[in-house]
Amino acid sequence: MSVNLKKEDLIDILSNISIFYGISNEDIEKMIKLLRPITMQENTLVIRQGTKGQSMYIIKTGNVEVVRVDEKKEEVIIAVLRDGDYFGELSLIDNMPRSANVITKEKSEIFQLTKDDFDKFLLENNGAANIFYKNCLIETFHRFRDIISKYTF
């Protein structure tokens, strides 16, 4: 394990991710045990567009580019994510294909949370599951309204 952080730092990181807002520190501590630390070199493909999502990722250090390849095979940079950011969270909910590629732009230390591990956690922790799914709905509606406002005007 090359990614080292104090438990308090991990609690802080997870508690500040919108889909985990309001989950108790006790349950967050259980989630910490599910995180798999990974070190990735520069220009490593973390997620491939179109593949089945099986994990979400949290960046401890480094940065990644989120790149979507359109139907003309042209690459469009969607976002650059840095320390404390996360990506791939929708795969914790659905089994849909990934919507973009994610590539490290420098050596990056990342935590992986797999769907299988998280599903087991939710089954065993009903309170955390209720909060998580409510947060997912809020996040989805927020993104939907943002899209509508961009295309309405």
Side-chain angles (χ1 to χ4, degrees):
M1 286 195 194
S2 57
V3 181
N4 295 315
L5 276 178
K6 294 181 209 168
K7 181 172 69 171
E8 296 79 21
D9 294 333
L10 285 169
I11 290 171
D12 189 51
I13 290 170
L14 289 176
S15 296
N16 284 301
I17 294 175
S18 62
I19 57 176
F20 301 140
Y21 287 161
I23 294 177
S24 71
N25 282 357
E26 179 183 324
D27 285 336
I28 293 284
E29 286 183 36
K30 293 175 189 174
M31 289 173 52
I32 288 170
K33 296 175 185 173
L34 306 176
L35 297 177
R36 299 176 184 178
I38 305 169
T39 299
M40 296 186 168
Q41 299 305 313
E42 180 179 1
N43 294 319
T44 300
L45 184 65
V46 183
I47 289 177
R48 180 180 305 281
Q49 182 176 326
T51 61
K52 181 180 176 184
Q54 309 252 348
S55 302
M56 81 168 282
Y57 300 87
I58 303 162
I59 303 169
K60 179 198 173 218
T61 61
N63 71 63
V64 301
E65 262 183 4
V66 180
V67 179
R68 181 152 174 83
V69 180
D70 66 17
E71 57 278 345
K72 296 177 186 175
K73 303 294 182 205
E74 295 178 10
E75 293 185 351
V76 178
I77 298 173
I78 305 296
V80 176
L81 305 176
R82 294 178 171 75
D83 301 2
D85 289 334
Y86 60 95
F87 55 94
E89 71 279 5
L90 294 179
S91 71
L92 296 179
I93 303 163
D94 63 27
N95 290 313
M96 299 299 292
R98 299 288 195 174
S99 59
N101 292 323
V102 178
I103 304 148
T104 58
K105 297 320 289 177
E106 63 186 25
K107 183 177 178 180
S108 300
E109 295 181 323
I110 298 172
F111 292 106
Q112 178 185 37
L113 177 60
T114 69
K115 179 173 176 34
D116 288 343
D117 287 344
F118 193 65
D119 283 347
K120 289 175 193 169
F121 166 79
L122 292 177
L123 283 172
E124 296 168 0
N125 299 280
N126 291 334
N130 289 335
I131 293 168
F132 170 74
Y133 288 121
K134 178 184 175 193
N135 289 342
C136 287
L137 281 172
I138 291 168
E139 183 70 20
T140 300
F141 289 142
H142 173 77
R143 290 178 186 184
F144 181 69
R145 287 174 194 242
D146 189 45
I147 290 168
I148 288 173
S149 70
K150 287 178 183 174
Y151 289 102
T152 302
F153 299 104

